Amino acid sequence: MSGRLLDAAIAIGTRERFGAVRRVVWRHLYNHVTHRLGDDEALCLNYGYLPDGPLPTAPHPEWPNHALYHHVAAPLDLAGKTVIEVGSGRGGGAAYVAKTFAPEELTAFDNAPAGVKAAARIHEAVPNLRFEVGDALALPIADGSVDAVVNVESSHCYASMARFVAEVARVLRPGGRFGLADFRLSSQLAEFDAALSHHALQVDARADITDRVLGAMDHLNAKKSAMIEKRRFFKGIARQWAGTDGSLIKTAFEAGDARYLSLTLTKV
């Protein structure tokens, strides 16, 4: 695939002018995925993060997808805090954060009703965690009511990154923390950073973690490919969505045409 066609395909999934269409498409896609997957499959839907050091001797089945959540949540000091996740998918990341970092309460919002219903059922045993349907651009919570917001590999689905960031600033208390990780085309990074330059938010840390994400994609490739091969339909689409070898997004990361970033911000 030519670089120009590759850019166009990924841009449709990330640029603001396609936002309204993208929001509907992603909601239907995630609802469809939820109906197709079992309760023990792909509970943490991200590309993963390969940290420094040796691989765990007995990793959790969702590792290194959980490692990406750990990377985002660890700097936020969540113990005993009121926390929300925006874009919780099938809930595996929210459950990991709730159990690992011990917030007083974690409310996980997602725009796909089927996913929210499934996540609530799958993770019902986690006492400090609940799932609700919610729009990232109009969160159903009061101003200044939460201590932290977590957002992992979800913002590229939103109609407007700037509106989402404004919502985060609205719901955070002064001193509240915001941790996110997501990808963009390299040509979109200035626009992405501009959306995060909200007057009420201070950027504490910004890192390019593309190499860590690519390492995780390599590590997960065989597992994801085997899962896809078990399906009867839509294998080509599933490979693209999962980021397996030869997919648009993995090719873009490898070529430097797309970058994966993580950021930590504080409400001032």
Side-chain angles (χ1 to χ4, degrees):
M1 176 174 286
S2 72
R4 184 173 298 176
L5 183 56
L6 177 65
D7 284 356
I10 297 174
I12 289 172
T14 55
R15 284 195 177 133
E16 298 237 343
R17 68 175 178 271
F18 300 106
V21 174
R22 181 172 65 248
R23 180 177 179 273
V24 174
V25 169
W26 279 114
R27 184 177 66 235
H28 285 292
L29 176 61
Y30 277 103
N31 279 329
H32 177 77
V33 168
T34 293
H35 289 308
R36 293 284 181 177
L37 293 173
D39 283 1
D40 61 345
E41 294 183 291
L43 301 182
C44 200
L45 295 173
N46 62 59
Y47 293 137
Y49 177 89
L50 202 66
D52 284 324
L55 301 181
T57 54
H60 186 279
E62 295 291 315
W63 192 95
N65 304 98
H66 282 165
L68 183 57
Y69 270 87
H70 196 102
H71 171 77
V72 171
L76 303 182
D77 186 24
L78 301 182
K81 302 293 179 61
T82 300
V83 181
I84 65 170
E85 182 189 4
V86 183
S88 53
R90 289 169 56 77
Y96 175 81
V97 171
K99 291 184 285 188
T100 303
F101 296 101
E104 180 178 4
E105 178 183 81
L106 196 163
T107 303
F109 292 101
D110 198 275
N111 198 39
V116 170
K117 184 177 180 180
R121 180 183 69 251
I122 294 166
H123 306 290
E124 63 181 350
V126 184
N128 55 343
L129 175 63
R130 61 192 176 99
F131 294 89
E132 294 186 8
V133 176
D135 186 343
L137 308 189
L139 293 167
I141 49 179
D143 296 0
S145 60
V146 302
D147 298 305
V149 177
V150 174
N151 184 246
V152 174
E153 204 171 297
S154 178
S155 69
H156 65 273
C157 302
Y158 305 160
S160 170
M161 185 65 182
R163 284 171 58 192
F164 168 57
V165 172
E167 273 295 274
V168 171
R170 179 184 69 81
V171 303
L172 280 174
R173 297 185 177 108
R177 310 297 301 283
F178 176 30
L180 77 156
D182 210 347
F183 61 88
R184 292 294 190 276
L185 286 174
S186 297
S187 61
Q188 296 173 322
L189 294 182
E191 178 185 356
F192 180 71
D193 286 332
L196 287 162
S197 298
H198 190 281
H199 66 88
L201 296 173
Q202 170 185 293
V203 177
D204 300 319
R206 180 186 185 277
D208 185 323
I209 59 171
T210 309
D211 289 346
R212 300 293 182 187
V213 174
L214 271 172
M217 294 172 88
D218 288 337
H219 181 79
L220 291 167
N221 184 70
K223 175 183 176 180
K224 288 182 176 180
S225 297
M227 184 182 297
I228 291 166
E229 285 304 311
K230 293 178 182 178
R231 267 59 194 180
R232 294 179 61 189
F233 306 109
F234 305 114
K235 290 183 181 180
I237 294 173
R239 292 187 190 101
Q240 294 296 334
W241 183 65
T244 55
D245 286 354
S247 62
L248 286 173
I249 188 60
K250 191 167 189 288
T251 300
F253 286 148
E254 291 167 339
D257 296 326
R259 309 306 296 169
Y260 204 117
L261 303 178
S262 68
L263 293 98
T264 304
L265 303 92
T266 300
K267 183 171 179 179
V268 295

